Amino acid sequence: MALELFNTLSGKIEPLFASDGHALRFYCCGPTVYDYGHIGNFRTFLHVDLLRRTARLHGLGLHHVMNITDVDDKIIRNALAAGKPIGEYSAKFEQAFFEDMDALGIEQPEQIARATENIDGMVDLIERLASQDIAYKAEDGSWYFRIARFPGYGKLSKKDLDGIEDGARVDVDEYEKDAARDFALWKATKPGETSWQTPLGPGRPGWHIECSAMAMKYLGDSFDLHAGGEDLMFPHHENEIAQSEAATHKPFARHWFHVRFLLVEGKKMSKSEGNFFTLRDLLLKGYRASAIRFLLLSVPYRHQLNFTFDGLTESTNAVDRLRTFNDRIRAGNWPATAPADDTLSTLIRKGDADFTAALASDLNTAEARAAIFDVLRAVNTAADQSRLTRADAEETLALLSKFDSIFAVLEDRDADLTRAALAWAEAEGRMDDVSPDVLEKFGSSGLTDAAIDALVAERTLAKKQRNFARADALRNELLEKGILLEDSKEGVRWKRQ
RNA sequence: GGCGCGGUACCCAAGUGGUAAGGGAGAGGUCUGCAAAACCUUUAUGCGUCGGUUCGAUCCCGACCCGCGCCUCCA
């Protein structure tokens, strides 16, 4: 089944393919590194990651470019306030961004492109536009894009130009533009601001030109797909199309992928609403990185996701169940006998087919999840009834491995990630954000994995000697520290609550 | 005002013109030295309301009600 994806440009679900027959060439608008990323940012990157992984499942190679906006108004302002050069200021948040991406299991793009390292390409592009009188210089030295010269303007966001012009928003700009809706390509330097000396005059690039220049530098004039959050559709992506296509007279990106915003507790996330969370905030509250990843991926990307703490708890439980299942099937010594019939094997294969088909169908993660849980139930039942064979177990593990090549939640790195967040909070003096629970479990007084293993072993021994009082005392001791023991046929497992 | 999305069980959430996936929670049960966990079973005569099309609609069409997003820096 071919991978199909909604295309914002055409408004239809269309096959996704690599036009060069090898690798999917795509560009994703990356972060502006002026602060720590919030969970809304990561919903977008998580779904781009999902797209990557699903494309790979379909045998597509990947050539994924993501920009880092390391110069913009907010960075300049914040760096100034911190008394640091912008490079030093942005480097810290760029590093934090990649740490967070890793914590959420998001793969690195093949190519990272920093704005400040690609100024030349942006200047070239603006000059190309200027040579066609599509870019013009205003009195203050800023350069603008003449929208009137690009008839296709609005085709992505389906905007009516007149509507924009007549709308309530009138761009009140202190500089002279030929038309209100013309947008900045190059911003003239204001006193005290970082600037580049270029043939265009001193200044710094506008945000939109960055992405056009870098996408075309690494992917060519035309490429397969362009991704970003829904808010970027207009004006950012619209402007990218205008700049690029006006300069090259070739189609820019063929397929446009937009991820909808998430809501937090039913409202748009904002600092003033008090529902604004970074990944680090959540880790310090004791929520697991895997649960955050799973929740953010569970609702398909074209739907709003209402992010709630209840939902996070649900996801935690769901991930636990999947991990327990994976551990059980992996650890069990299933008999190498022939199955009584092929019912289970058929079910597992159906689960596999359903899983793959769901993802191929515009990345329907909700259905893909359901397919896996169907298999989980059937296989668990068989195992409980002692009729799970080695062959079926292996088939199940293969499917789980496929599942995890997409969802990436089975491997348990959660404790380490929470410890890393805790170390960060200590270093940054943010211990007030750490929940008492996290402090107890993961702080210096918390038990290490080795210490837990030792106590568990001691209890197992006591149990074997039928010294149940001692065994129960140890179990309670562990429970008080947030360690839950599970006795099963396959042995004792422990996990952090 | 313009553009767009959604309203499915206690909560989250798929889906289809022929009669409601999955997860979480609750309840019952199995297992267990006990407990917890795990596992199993179970939970919508109904899919916002009202009309229409149809042999048949949650799914198609229309109207209405409610919630939300984008249109401005914003993932």
Side-chain angles (χ1 to χ4, degrees), chain A residues 433-471:
Chain A
D433 297 337
V434 182
S435 79
D437 206 38
V438 168
L439 207 54
E440 186 177 344
K441 284 186 212 159
F442 299 101
S444 49
S445 64
L447 290 172
T448 63
D449 287 7
I452 294 166
D453 285 338
L455 287 167
V456 170
E458 198 184 332
R459 170 178 173 269
T460 304
L461 186 67
K463 246 178 68 170
K464 202 173 260 175
Q465 294 164 344
R466 303 196 68 78
N467 183 355
F468 296 121
R470 176 66 184 147

Side-chain angles (χ1 to χ4, degrees), chain A residues 59 201 222 248 296 331 367 374 387 406 447 489:
Chain A
S222 298
T248 66
L296 261 30
E367 271 199 349
D374 282 340
R387 55 178 176 82
I406 302 292
L447 290 172
K489 282 182 202 162

